[in-house]
């Protein structure tokens, strides 16, 4: 669907050069929600603006449906942009126009007849949950409602791709979740490919299928969201994952439970996907002559399934502890022994 090859952007500021995007290559599948995450200055917003040439790339290619937009003339690019919707952090609405008029604006530019415009605009207003607010002005809307207008406007020309540049960063957590649910609904109903730029791991976790992590203009890690969360490879990714699952990095705090008594072990259990739904601890207690003390744990959902971490202390004979750990591993749960069984 979208093929990005060796994409770069170099800004020349007086006597200083800034490499905002550095040799990025990605393939994004049709109909998926693809997240790009990075801290401030990572180059992610510049990257997304290169996809529709709001910024001109210094080098590299961007192809959408096998059409290289970096080679298009201005006339060809204007037509192609009608199929690339974009929503922004600060909404970018026309403040002198009503909700209806804001959504109708791209259709006016495209030369769509008035009767067809009306039908399309009313469909979109219903789709984004703004029925009854057609005649309101942006100043009369909440932040979430303004973003819903921005989404409807971006969908006006039936785009193939929707680019979201920090679309929820200006919203409170509850409104953010509402907008994310709307994006998932639109993705499913319209089969729309969504590229979502954010610095919030919660956003990636909630709706994305795959993610690319950016640092200093480069992609340092990419993969399925669940895989990246479970086994982050880069330090930047580990910092983001820690925001959602701090227990992953709190092993040192459990040192008070770890002792030299061979009848006691502290283990970390890592549940992924359907394994997170198993009543595994109760099975272990029933099957083995051990005591189990749950120390702490957490679980988080993603689009590809749940993942969770559980720290437990197990007490019993050395041979029985080994059998219990083997049983847990055979159930498909990753086990890390924080105090090795002798």
């Amino acid at each position: 669907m979208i093929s990005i090859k060796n994409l770069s952007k170099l800004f020349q500021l007086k006597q200083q050069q800034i490499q905002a995007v550095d040799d990025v290559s990605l393939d994004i599948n049709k109909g998926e929600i693809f997240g790009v995450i990075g801290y401030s200055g990572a180059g992610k917003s510049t990257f997304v603006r290169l996809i529709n040439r709001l910024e001109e790339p210094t080098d590299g290619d961007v192809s959408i449906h096998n059409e290289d937009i970096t080679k298009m003339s201005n006339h060809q690019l204007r037509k192609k942009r009608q199929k690339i919707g974009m929503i922004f952090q600060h909404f970018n609405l026309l403040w002198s126009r009503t909700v209806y008029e804001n959504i109708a604006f791209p259709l006016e530019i495209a030369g769509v007849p008035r009767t067809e415009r009306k039908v399309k605009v009313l469909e979109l207003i219903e789709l984004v949950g703004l029925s009854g607010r057609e005649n309101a002005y942006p100043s009369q809307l909440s932040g979430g409602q303004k973003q819903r207008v921005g989404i409807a406007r971006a969908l006006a020309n039936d785009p193939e791709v929707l680019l979201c540049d920090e679309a929820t960063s200006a919203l409170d957590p509850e409104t953010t979740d509402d907008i994310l649910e709307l994006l998932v609904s639109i993705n499913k109903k319209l089969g729309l490919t969504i590229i979502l730029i954010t610095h919030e791991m919660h956003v990636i976790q909630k709706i994305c299928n795959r993610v690319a992590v950016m640092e200093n203009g480069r992609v340092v890690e990419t993969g399925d969201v669940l895989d990246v969360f479970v086994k982050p490879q880069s330090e930047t990714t580990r910092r983001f994952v820690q925001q959602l699952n701090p227990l992953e990095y709190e092993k040192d705090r459990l040192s008070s439970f770890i002792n030299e008594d061979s009848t006691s072990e502290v283990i970390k259990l890592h549940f992924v996907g359907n394994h997170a739904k198993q009543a595994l601890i109760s099975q272990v207690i029933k099957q083995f002559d051990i005591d189990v003390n749950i120390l702490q744990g957490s679980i988080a959902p993603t689009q590809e399934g749940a993942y969770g971490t559980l720290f437990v202390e197990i007490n019993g004979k050395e041979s029985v502890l080994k059998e219990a750990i083997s049983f847990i591993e055979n159930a498909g749960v990753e086990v890390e022994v924080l105090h090795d069984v002798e």
Side-chain angles (χ1 to χ4, degrees):
M1 169 62 182
I2 302 175
S3 180
I4 298 164
K5 302 296 183 187
N6 308 117
L7 194 64
S8 296
K9 178 63 179 181
L10 182 67
F11 289 103
Q12 182 69 50
L13 301 178
K14 296 184 179 179
Q15 297 181 342
Q16 183 183 13
Q17 289 186 333
I18 298 177
Q19 188 76 55
V21 176
D22 187 4
D23 197 29
V24 169
S25 295
L26 290 171
D27 289 313
I28 298 168
N29 302 321
K30 177 177 172 57
E32 77 173 330
I33 304 179
F34 190 94
V36 179
I37 191 168
Y39 291 104
S40 179
K44 56 192 186 296
S45 290
T46 300
F47 166 72
V48 78
R49 291 169 66 86
L50 291 172
I51 293 175
N52 59 1
R53 279 179 59 188
L54 286 179
E55 292 284 355
E56 289 292 339
T58 304
D59 199 6
D61 303 297
V62 178
S63 295
I64 301 176
H65 281 156
N66 297 316
E67 294 181 302
D68 189 346
I69 71 163
T70 59
K71 304 293 193 297
M72 289 181 176
S73 66
N74 289 337
H75 173 71
Q76 291 171 322
L77 181 60
R78 280 193 295 271
K79 290 193 66 176
K80 188 65 177 177
R81 277 183 180 155
Q82 292 179 1
K83 296 300 179 182
I84 307 174
M86 190 164 186
I87 57 177
F88 304 87
Q89 178 179 358
H90 296 297
F91 321 124
N92 286 20
L93 302 181
L94 299 171
W95 294 88
S96 62
R97 285 180 169 240
T98 63
V99 167
Y100 182 100
E101 292 167 342
N102 264 282
I103 299 170
F105 185 62
L107 296 171
E108 294 174 22
I109 294 175
V112 176
R114 182 184 296 271
T115 303
E116 291 181 32
R117 285 205 309 266
K118 182 175 181 180
V119 172
K120 184 66 175 179
V121 171
L122 293 179
E123 285 178 355
L124 290 169
I125 286 174
E126 183 176 359
L127 177 68
V128 300
L130 286 176
S131 297
R133 303 293 284 165
E134 297 90 335
N135 298 317
Y137 288 89
S139 61
Q140 300 170 310
L141 302 177
S142 67
Q145 289 172 330
K146 291 171 188 173
Q147 196 57 283
R148 287 173 185 269
V149 177
I151 292 170
R153 181 185 58 188
L155 298 175
N157 283 312
D158 299 316
E160 304 163 342
V161 179
L162 181 63
L163 308 178
C164 306
D165 187 10
E166 297 280 10
T168 60
S169 295
L171 306 176
D172 62 73
E174 184 176 352
T175 306
T176 291
D177 285 345
D178 290 342
I179 294 299
L180 295 178
E181 288 171 7
L182 175 60
L183 290 174
V184 171
S185 174
I186 289 168
N187 169 257
K188 291 178 178 177
K189 287 180 182 177
L190 306 181
L192 196 63
T193 303
I194 298 177
I195 301 176
L196 194 150
I197 305 300
T198 184
H199 65 273
E200 300 171 296
M201 203 61 173
H202 162 74
V203 172
I204 300 293
Q205 171 203 346
K206 192 171 181 67
I207 72 168
C208 294
N209 307 112
R210 292 193 300 140
V211 62
V213 182
M214 289 191 71
E215 181 182 10
N216 296 326
R218 301 183 67 88
V219 170
V220 296
E221 188 166 351
T222 185
D224 293 342
V225 168
L226 194 55
D227 291 340
V228 169
F229 273 30
V230 171
K231 294 184 178 179
Q233 300 300 308
S234 74
E235 180 58 33
T236 299
T237 309
R238 284 192 284 271
R239 287 166 61 196
F240 276 118
V241 172
Q242 187 177 358
Q243 294 176 8
L244 293 179
N245 193 4
L247 298 186
E248 284 287 318
Y249 302 88
E250 290 189 353
K251 290 185 289 186
D252 292 343
R253 299 185 184 184
L254 300 175
S255 59
S256 61
F257 291 92
I258 301 174
N259 56 57
E260 299 302 321
D261 184 354
S262 62
T263 65
S264 176
E265 300 293 348
V266 175
I267 60 176
K268 182 185 82 168
L269 309 181
H270 211 147
F271 299 84
V272 180
N274 290 330
H275 298 305
K277 301 178 182 178
Q278 295 180 15
L280 184 62
I281 299 299
S282 62
Q283 293 175 24
V284 170
I285 294 172
K286 290 176 182 177
Q287 188 158 337
F288 299 95
D289 184 20
I290 61 174
D291 294 321
V292 177
N293 178 24
I294 297 175
L295 303 178
Q296 57 185 7
S298 68
I299 190 167
T302 73
Q303 284 293 301
E304 305 303 317
Y307 76 102
T309 300
L310 185 66
F311 289 93
V312 298
E313 180 188 20
I314 54 177
N315 294 277
K317 291 183 178 179
E318 179 183 333
S319 59
V320 180
L321 294 182
K322 288 182 178 180
E323 291 177 6
I325 290 171
S326 179
F327 175 83
I328 295 170
E329 290 174 332
N330 289 335
V333 175
E334 183 180 324
V335 179
E336 179 183 349
V337 181
L338 304 188
H339 175 222
D340 291 335
V341 176
E342 297 293 329

